[in-house]
Amino acid sequence: MPEGQAAGPVALEARSPYELRVNLGAGVAETDVRTALVSGEMGFLHSFTTGSAVDGPGVRVVAWTTGCMWRCQYCHNPDTWTMTNGIPVTIANAAAELGKYRRGLKVMGGGFTLSGGEPLMQDRFAVKLLAAAKAMDIHTTIETNGYNGDRLSDAELETIDLVMLGIKVWDPERHRRLTGVEIRPTLEFARRLAARQRPIWVRFVLVPGLTDDPADVAQIAGFAASLGNVDRVEVLPFHQLGRYKWEQLGLNYTLNEVKPPTVEAVQKVCAVFRATGLNAQ
Ligand code: SF4
């Protein structure tokens, strides 16, 4: 897919987000990390993949940032929680790398997705990289938990063609137990995107015994349908691919006994979303 040679040295190479990555940015001084966060001239990426068909419309280049303030019990990439686990990369190099795929992405009706971790932990870097993609006429998507959505100005929202918004669970207490934080900022961000008519795909991870309460799912469906800007709902079955990361990082993984949901269970939840008029899959 690349059109030609890199426009200079880059710190990126395509790697799977499922690889455990730690301390790749540990050599960067804390003051430099802080300066980078303020300026957005440098960011930290866990990995960088090409040819993804599951991270937004069409075929995507995906950059996975490090840094997340949430602690979801089912997180499959806990190595992304710590920002300095990622590779430090300048905005110029990240944009140059992305530029190599510009023509191929156009032909395949795809684009660029910034995922994580939580990309808006590095909001200035995210804004600059998304703006660089837009300047190259590349479709832009961000996958976010929405918690830091208020860090983006209205003008900056315009540089994002699609927001893939994770809604984890509806009940506030359950949300706090599952993620460690409150749900309110996520819902406020969703309402703000709706008011500005910015498209959303809702992502909902179905975890048996944790997020599958029928009344809770119905609340999320009702909320999503009421927004008017949700083009799609993706019901993602829980899996155990990230368990080894929890073990290797010495973290307390509490879902060892949880099995992925059945196909029927996923279909049942999709039906709840569809019953509200949403396009769910
Ligand atoms: S918001 Fe995403 S990256 Fe952060 S802990 Fe939850 S699942 Fe993991």
Side-chain angles (χ1 to χ4, degrees):
M1 195 161 54
E3 287 175 10
Q5 299 302 307
V10 292
L12 289 172
E13 55 177 320
R15 299 287 285 268
S16 165
Y18 287 107
E19 285 179 28
L20 180 75
R21 313 196 91 180
V22 291
N23 291 334
L24 297 174
V28 181
E30 204 183 314
T31 47
D32 292 339
V33 173
R34 268 189 253 123
T35 305
L37 286 175
V38 171
S39 72
E41 285 301 315
M42 184 177 75
F44 294 85
L45 295 183
H46 176 272
S47 42
F48 174 79
T49 61
T50 60
S52 167
V54 294
D55 294 292
V59 177
R60 321 284 302 177
V61 166
V62 187
W64 313 81
T65 60
T66 44
C68 186
M69 72 302 256
W70 290 24
R71 294 292 177 264
C72 300
Q73 289 174 34
Y74 60 65
C75 183
H76 59 239
N77 283 322
D79 50 336
T80 64
W81 293 350
T82 305
M83 202 166 298
T84 49
N85 275 353
I87 311 162
V89 55
T90 64
I91 192 74
N93 280 350
E97 185 68 14
L98 181 57
K100 292 195 284 178
Y101 302 92
R102 170 171 49 180
R103 198 166 299 160
L105 292 172
K106 198 86 191 157
V107 168
M108 291 185 281
F112 171 59
T113 299
L114 192 59
S115 185
E118 171 45 53
L120 295 183
M121 286 288 281
Q122 304 183 47
D123 56 290
R124 291 306 91 193
F125 179 74
V127 160
K128 285 195 171 171
L129 191 49
L130 292 162
K134 279 310 279 179
M136 291 188 272
D137 197 26
I138 295 173
H139 179 278
T140 55
T141 294
I142 188 167
E143 184 183 0
T144 177
N145 60 36
Y147 195 81
N148 287 342
D150 61 359
R151 293 184 179 182
L152 301 181
S153 69
D154 289 345
E156 287 162 356
L157 286 183
E158 301 294 319
T159 66
I160 305 171
D161 294 313
L162 173 68
V163 175
M164 298 175 82
L165 184 67
I167 299 185
K168 313 288 184 184
V169 78
W170 183 262
D171 176 77
E173 191 40 49
R174 243 183 244 157
H175 193 275
R176 198 179 292 277
R177 274 203 307 274
L178 176 67
T179 66
V181 299
E182 58 174 337
I183 190 173
R184 186 184 46 81
T186 299
L187 303 184
E188 281 174 3
F189 186 51
R191 290 191 190 101
R192 182 170 163 224
L193 291 167
R196 303 198 61 76
Q197 298 182 313
R198 306 306 302 160
I200 293 178
W201 286 10
V202 166
R203 289 196 130 183
F204 174 73
V205 180
L206 183 62
V207 191
L210 213 58
T211 69
D212 60 349
D213 178 76
D216 210 278
V217 173
Q219 292 273 17
I220 295 175
F223 172 75
S226 74
L227 293 172
N229 62 331
V230 174
D231 292 341
R232 181 190 288 202
V233 177
E234 293 187 327
V235 179
L236 308 171
F238 164 76
H239 58 69
Q240 293 281 12
L241 293 176
R243 174 166 55 185
Y244 87 99
K245 290 190 176 185
W246 286 74
E247 287 163 4
Q248 294 204 7
L249 293 169
L251 297 167
N252 179 28
Y253 187 63
T254 54
L255 306 185
N256 276 310
E257 307 307 321
V258 178
K259 303 260 182 297
T262 62
V263 173
E264 292 72 27
V266 173
Q267 282 311 317
K268 212 168 147 187
V269 168
C270 283
V272 174
F273 283 101
R274 286 194 199 111
T276 66
L278 291 163
N279 166 24
Q281 42 196 276

